[in-house]
Amino acid sequence: MVDDSKRRGGDRRPHTSSGGAPRRGPRTERDDRWSGPGRTRSAQPQQTDGDRAPQGPAIPAEVDAKDLPPEARRELSTLDRATADAVARHLVAAGELLDEDPQEALNHARAARARTSRIAAVREAVGIAAYRCGDWAQALSELRAARRMGSKSSLLALIADCERGLGRPERAIELARGPEAADLNEDDADELRIVAAGARSDLGQLEQALVVLSTPQLDPSRSGSTAARLFYAYADTLLALGRDDEALQWFLRSAAADIDGVTDAEERLSELG
């Protein structure tokens, strides 16, 4: 894991950016969605490792399988009851630990995968936890597997950011230009836009990064975590271009939009005086 002081789009998570807009991922409010959405390709019963599967980390007694989102519980319905319960509880534990201890969240997600590796929600959980740990290669592999299995989550920004983390910013830009990107909703499109701008910055293309971020969505009246990170990435790119006064204004707007405290915009403002 890398220095926690710089973030993806101001996001309070690890990154490996070489400059410009900090690394980011999808929404930073919680990634609760990954513990549920997705569909398996077949309705046929899944084969599992059953009793041969390693137990993995201990699950806190208060963790309840019923806390797993309904979509994920439906996916687990193809498993026998004991396996489904163990997988569900590991996924719930992973979701609860994702912010405070991503490595332990990854351990729980891997324990779920050890019991059944052919369910989209499980592979998605491993992918997002690995991403939060900065393990871009594993994250990319797992997220791609989740998509092949029919995950309905919007994973494109995460996948593109993994490519960036692996030193392939050109691939991240290509994904942002692809046909799948055109079908994203507004927030998910903004998330991918931040990744694409970061990839441009990685390549030293700061002016192009600014153009990517200069969209109708760059509206100072917006609020929420996605808007806060969008403003933050724009401010950080302005700062890299030496446009300090403009950067200060956009860091202020990022801090004002950040109602959930997902960025370090206020800290950056203090640094800028």
Side-chain angles (χ1 to χ4, degrees), residues 23-221:
R23 184 163 312 291
R24 46 101 14 246
R27 317 178 185 287
T28 50
E29 50 272 26
R30 294 223 4 137
D31 287 298
D32 290 325
R33 72 192 190 290
W34 63 254
S35 57
R39 296 287 186 274
T40 54
R41 287 185 175 180
S42 170
Q44 296 301 314
Q46 305 275 335
Q47 293 182 349
T48 71
D49 292 323
D51 294 336
R52 297 189 303 277
Q55 289 187 349
I59 305 173
E62 66 272 15
V63 171
D64 192 336
K66 294 179 181 178
D67 290 334
L68 193 67
E71 303 94 296
R73 293 205 303 271
R74 283 194 289 271
E75 288 191 62
L76 301 185
S77 66
T78 58
L79 306 174
D80 66 81
R81 174 174 285 187
T83 301
D85 183 74
V87 169
R89 295 183 72 222
H90 274 300
L91 290 180
V92 171
E96 292 179 350
L97 288 164
L98 197 60
D99 289 330
E100 63 186 64
D101 190 347
Q103 183 58 56
E104 188 66 4
L106 179 57
N107 293 340
H108 277 287
R110 285 172 172 166
R113 184 187 60 186
R115 287 164 170 78
T116 178
S117 61
R118 292 189 293 163
I119 289 180
V122 172
R123 304 300 289 272
E124 189 176 333
V126 179
I128 291 179
Y131 176 86
R132 294 288 291 272
C133 290
D135 187 343
W136 317 121
Q138 182 179 17
L140 184 60
S141 175
E142 295 295 324
L143 293 171
R144 284 175 171 169
R147 290 215 304 175
R148 287 194 303 271
M149 293 174 183
S151 172
K152 302 303 181 184
S153 297
S154 178
L155 302 176
L156 190 60
L158 269 177
I159 289 171
D161 207 34
C162 288
E163 294 285 5
R164 184 184 168 205
L166 289 168
R168 300 193 290 251
E170 297 91 347
R171 178 58 180 155
I173 293 168
E174 181 182 344
L175 288 170
R177 288 174 167 174
E180 188 177 350
D183 296 330
L184 297 176
N185 63 37
E186 181 177 303
D187 279 351
D188 291 332
D190 282 347
E191 301 287 356
L192 183 58
R193 189 173 290 113
I194 299 171
V195 174
R200 289 288 186 184
S201 296
D202 291 343
L203 294 169
Q205 300 171 358
L206 294 175
E207 291 288 355
Q208 291 95 320
L210 205 63
V211 170
V212 170
L213 295 167
S214 301
T215 68
Q217 284 73 28
L218 202 66
D219 177 357
S221 67

Side-chain angles (χ1 to χ4, degrees), residues 215-223 227 231 249-250 252-254 256-257:
T215 68
Q217 284 73 28
L218 202 66
D219 177 357
S221 67
R222 292 179 62 192
S223 63
F231 299 165
Q249 292 303 311
W250 282 100
L252 283 167
R253 288 164 180 160
S254 177

